[in-house]
Amino acid sequence: MRSCSILFLVTIFSLHCATPIELEFESDYVPKVTVFTEFSPDSIWSVQLIQSVAYTDSVNWEQYAIDDASVTIHSSLDIVQPMVYMSNGRYISPSGQAPFPNTRYTITVQSVDFPSVNGSSEARSFETELTEIQEISSADTTIRSFRVRLRIDDPPGQDYYSLHLDYLYRVCRGDEQQIDTTWALRETRLRSAYFDSDFAEMRESVSDVNDPSVLPVVDESNGFSHAYFNDRTFEGTSKTINLIVRLPQDQLLEPHIRVTIKNWSNELWSYQEYLELVDLYGPNYFEETPKAIYSNINGGLGVFGGKYSRHLRVDDQGESWDNEDLKVVDQFIPACNQR
């Protein structure tokens, strides 16, 4: 087997000098099709394809985009969805078709330069409801605190969830053609909110969820930014979760909160878990046994995985709102100089 030698310059700080180290890598590496697809019923089908490469210190990935493949999505309902090429290795549904929940999909990629590859996954749906929001007293007058209670109706089978909170905040963008800021443009945007919870199974990273011995490690002053958990303690039943969220005080805009809960497919979760557990660029990445990242692409690399999302939107009075209100809310937000 032929090999090529690459010289690395390693600085030996204790000796204040540089020593060349010779490393050998196999030169007969066979590239593979690498698939990156995270599909959701919220968006149309989109697939990213690139060619894998041997170890290198830098690479222009656009040069390795696969642009001549035949990509099809097959469903368990015998529906075939052909994909069309756009640019930079990206393929999309020409009809704007989005995946259906609770449907097993299989991707097949064929190219003249690579063996055919395939992978399967689905986005499992679930029901959730925000049952209560209640303001609670706070010693800090610069914030408003709320207890948010929600319920998750978990389907049969193993499921993995993530939970994230954000809220509307005011943004002032000055009109460059106007000197008087009274005429400034106003808008609202979503900003992440920290929260605490009484659900002891929550973890701050995907890789900690499947290890019951790991205790939650969160920002002591703020709480969670994102939380991850599985249904180990409530599989196939309902679970009520209490959240405590603290938002900056704003006299001109009442709190509008959005809670986003996502159900990850086993394939997508496993891929993210491996990314967190395997330190590809740690001090021992030249060890004898190469480190491998999870992949469900048969004959290739990457991941084909589904994710189902639910958004719960509520204001401080318990009234729901939707994305269209993001535009309406601009009408009563004052100019930048009126705070």
Side-chain angles (χ1 to χ4, degrees):
M1 183 176 294
R2 295 181 298 110
S3 64
C4 57
S5 298
I6 301 178
L7 291 180
F8 284 82
L9 199 61
V10 178
T11 303
I12 311 300
F13 292 100
S14 59
L15 299 179
H16 301 285
C17 64
T19 303
I21 298 177
E22 184 176 290
L23 301 174
E24 294 187 350
F25 295 91
E26 298 178 0
S27 60
D28 56 351
Y29 175 79
V30 179
K32 296 182 179 180
V33 172
T34 304
V35 178
F36 293 103
T37 302
E38 179 181 315
F39 63 85
S40 169
D42 293 340
S43 57
I44 69 171
W45 280 108
S46 178
V47 176
Q48 186 75 36
L49 300 180
I50 63 170
Q51 170 188 324
S52 66
V53 298
Y55 176 85
T56 180
D57 58 350
S58 63
V59 62
N60 180 1
W61 288 110
E62 292 185 1
Q63 296 179 357
Y64 293 89
I66 299 175
D67 57 8
D68 61 351
S70 172
V71 183
T72 54
I73 307 292
H74 306 259
S75 78
S76 55
L77 303 176
D78 294 329
I79 299 175
V80 179
Q81 176 70 43
M83 309 289 281
V84 297
Y85 180 70
M86 296 297 291
S87 62
N88 295 328
R90 182 169 174 260
Y91 297 74
I92 67 169
S93 166
S95 61
Q97 180 67 51
F100 294 107
N102 306 314
T103 303
R104 193 76 183 178
Y105 288 99
T106 298
I107 185 174
T108 301
V109 179
Q110 296 178 322
S111 175
V112 295
D113 298 322
F114 304 95
S116 176
V117 304
N118 64 81
S120 299
S121 186
E122 67 178 315
R124 284 166 51 88
S125 68
F126 66 98
E127 295 298 325
T128 184
E129 181 183 7
L130 199 153
T131 60
E132 181 184 5
I133 179 170
Q134 180 182 6
E135 186 164 9
I136 55 180
S137 60
S138 174
D140 188 347
T141 58
T142 64
I143 65 172
R144 293 180 66 180
S145 299
F146 295 88
R147 177 182 291 108
V148 178
R149 179 171 297 166
L150 58 92
R151 187 187 73 248
I152 297 176
D153 296 331
D154 182 63
Q158 187 180 51
D159 291 279
Y160 293 94
Y161 295 95
S162 62
L163 190 150
H164 175 65
L165 264 71
D166 44 25
Y167 68 99
L168 288 183
Y169 75 103
R170 294 186 298 133
V171 176
C172 297
R173 290 190 295 114
D175 187 339
E176 296 178 357
Q177 298 179 359
Q178 298 288 346
I179 299 177
D180 185 356
T181 57
T182 302
W183 297 92
L185 301 176
R186 285 87 67 189
E187 62 181 30
T188 56
R189 295 181 183 175
L190 286 164
R191 172 180 287 172
S192 294
Y194 284 92
F195 60 94
D196 295 316
S197 176
D198 63 351
F199 185 35
E201 296 293 320
M202 284 188 176
R203 298 294 184 268
E204 202 170 29
S205 68
V206 167
S207 59
D208 290 339
V209 170
N210 285 327
D211 187 353
S213 65
V214 177
L215 297 177
V217 178
V218 299
D219 188 314
E220 294 182 359
S221 59
N222 295 313
F224 288 99
S225 57
H226 287 76
Y228 303 90
F229 55 95
N230 59 26
D231 62 352
R232 182 175 60 88
T233 60
F234 62 97
E235 181 179 339
T237 62
S238 295
K239 174 65 179 179
T240 297
I241 299 176
N242 292 305
L243 308 173
I244 301 295
V245 57
R246 292 171 289 274
L247 305 179
Q249 179 74 262
D250 190 332
Q251 300 294 336
L252 301 174
L253 177 61
E254 296 300 326
H256 287 68
I257 299 172
R258 184 180 71 170
V259 182
T260 299
I261 308 172
K262 298 182 179 182
N263 186 358
W264 300 44
S265 67
N266 288 337
E267 296 79 18
L268 198 59
W269 184 276
S270 297
Y271 180 75
Q272 181 61 37
E273 188 174 35
Y274 271 67
L275 288 180
E276 294 180 8
L277 290 173
V278 178
D279 186 2
L280 292 177
Y281 303 102
N284 297 317
Y285 60 84
F286 288 130
E287 59 192 10
E288 292 184 3
T289 304
K291 297 177 180 179
I293 295 296
Y294 169 88
S295 173
N296 68 324
I297 304 301
N298 299 316
L301 300 171
V303 65
F304 177 77
K307 185 183 289 185
Y308 183 86
S309 303
R310 290 294 304 272
H311 302 286
L312 306 174
R313 301 174 180 88
V314 65
D315 63 17
D316 62 324
Q317 300 301 313
E319 299 294 330
S320 61
W321 54 276
D322 56 36
N323 284 338
E324 291 302 314
D325 292 323
L326 296 176
K327 302 175 183 178
V328 175
V329 80
D330 291 344
Q331 297 178 3
F332 63 79
I333 294 180
C336 295
N337 63 338
Q338 299 177 16
R339 299 184 179 274

